[in-house]
Amino acid sequence: MQARLESVEERDGKILIGYAGDTPAGYVVATIEETGGIDSLNKFSTRRGSIDALFVYDEFRGKGVSSALINTIEDFFRESGCQYSEVACLASNDIAHEFYLKKGYQERYINFLKEL
């Protein structure tokens, strides 16, 4: 947790907590990244927001909490001069995959993992 908090601070990020009344319903953790130079050969050279974690408690899923958190963090990215927002999820997480596509995100990379 300490490392994540330090990363958010070092990379001009933000942590938002979504509430349902007085009850925490979920959170989003995001950072801002600049790419350029050699890295721009593999990615795009730009300032982009990165959603590092998005979580909503089961009892609040399907009630707009994720959308509210995404919309708010995207506004933060725009205000911070970001041209893009990126997010990753597990390939097996069909619900998250569908949600991000619905929010306008497009698949860009596919990573493969093999247990040795």
Side-chain angles (χ1 to χ4, degrees):
M1 181 57 82
Q2 185 63 34
R4 177 154 291 183
L5 291 173
E6 289 172 6
S7 175
V8 168
E9 184 176 341
E10 290 169 4
R11 295 168 52 202
D12 299 323
K14 188 172 267 202
I15 298 172
L16 301 175
I17 300 172
Y19 287 86
D22 293 334
T23 306
Y27 63 85
V28 62
V29 178
T31 54
I32 295 176
E33 298 183 26
E34 297 266 357
T35 59
I38 294 172
D39 188 45
S40 67
L41 296 174
N42 295 318
K43 293 191 175 192
F44 38 91
S45 178
T46 189
R47 183 172 173 87
R48 71 183 186 282
S50 179
I51 298 169
D52 301 321
L54 175 64
F55 174 80
V56 175
Y57 290 103
D58 287 341
E59 61 266 31
F60 299 107
R61 292 186 179 168
K63 298 182 180 180
V65 175
S66 293
S67 288
L69 288 168
I70 287 280
N71 293 342
T72 304
I73 207 66
E74 287 177 353
D75 287 343
F76 166 71
F77 289 155
R78 283 184 201 92
E79 292 165 7
S80 299
C82 296
Q83 294 126 323
Y84 295 94
S85 174
E86 70 177 357
V87 64
C89 69
L90 292 173
S92 61
N93 191 341
D94 294 331
I95 293 171
H97 194 182
E98 183 179 320
F99 171 75
Y100 294 128
L101 289 172
K102 186 171 112 179
K103 296 301 286 179
Y105 288 80
Q106 300 173 0
E107 293 178 355
R108 182 166 172 90
Y109 295 102
I110 297 175
N111 295 322
F112 295 90
L113 178 68
K114 177 181 178 179
E115 185 174 352
L116 301 176

